[in-house]
């Protein structure tokens, strides 16, 4: 059971900031990009620290919705279709408390890997024999 308890969870109008306040008086404004690249999902964290992924291209990501998971967490649905992370109260608190250090580590890791916070637009693949286009995976947007 969590030692932290949220008193407010509010998504900003532009869906890019999640405000989380806790019963001890702490209040954090967590950017959607930060929450997305810090997702507790296995897709991002892997199954060990060595498997953790550093995600680029998430600067413009937004949170589509925030849904409760029992009385211990929320599930965030992002506009890049990521929805497998369950953010427990303690994890959200830690993300808020450790924001500066975690964010600077993330930026350093992006640079070390030659990645950018911005989405890289890829050239559309040439369609052949009536194949390709949006939804096929060959358009470069999926």
């Amino acid at each position: 059971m969590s030692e932290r308890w949220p008193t407010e969870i509010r998504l900003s109008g532009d869906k890019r900031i999640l405000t989380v306040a806790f019963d001890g008086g702490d209040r954090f404004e967590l950017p959607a990009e930060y929450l997305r690249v810090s997702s507790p999902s296995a897709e991002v964290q892997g199954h060990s620290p060595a498997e953790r992924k550093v995600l680029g291209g998430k600067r413009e990501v937004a949170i589509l919705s925030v849904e409760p998971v029992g009385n211990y967490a929320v599930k965030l649905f992002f506009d890049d279709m990521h929805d497998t992370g369950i953010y427990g109260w303690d994890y959200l608190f830690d993300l808020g408390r450790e924001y500066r250090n975690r964010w600077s580590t993330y930026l350093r890791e992006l640079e070390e890997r030659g990645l950018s916070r911005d989405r890289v637009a890829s050239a559309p693949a040439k369609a052949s024999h009536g194949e390709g286009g949006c939804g096929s995976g060959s358009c470069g947007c999926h």
Side-chain angles (χ1 to χ4, degrees), residues 35-100:
L35 291 165
R36 174 62 178 92
V37 303
S38 302
S39 173
S41 69
E43 174 190 330
V44 175
Q45 299 300 324
H47 298 287
S48 71
E51 292 180 358
R52 187 177 63 81
K53 294 179 180 62
V54 178
L55 304 176
K58 301 299 178 187
R59 182 190 302 264
E60 299 300 322
V61 75
I63 299 168
L64 297 176
S65 66
V66 180
E67 295 186 8
V69 176
N71 62 357
Y72 64 92
V74 289
K75 187 173 185 178
L76 303 180
F77 294 82
F78 294 90
D79 66 358
D80 68 354
M81 300 303 116
H82 178 72
D83 64 358
T84 58
I86 296 175
Y87 296 75
W89 307 144
D90 287 338
Y91 188 61
L92 281 171
F93 183 87
D94 290 344
L95 286 176
R97 186 186 64 210
E98 299 167 6
Y99 174 75
R100 285 186 184 183

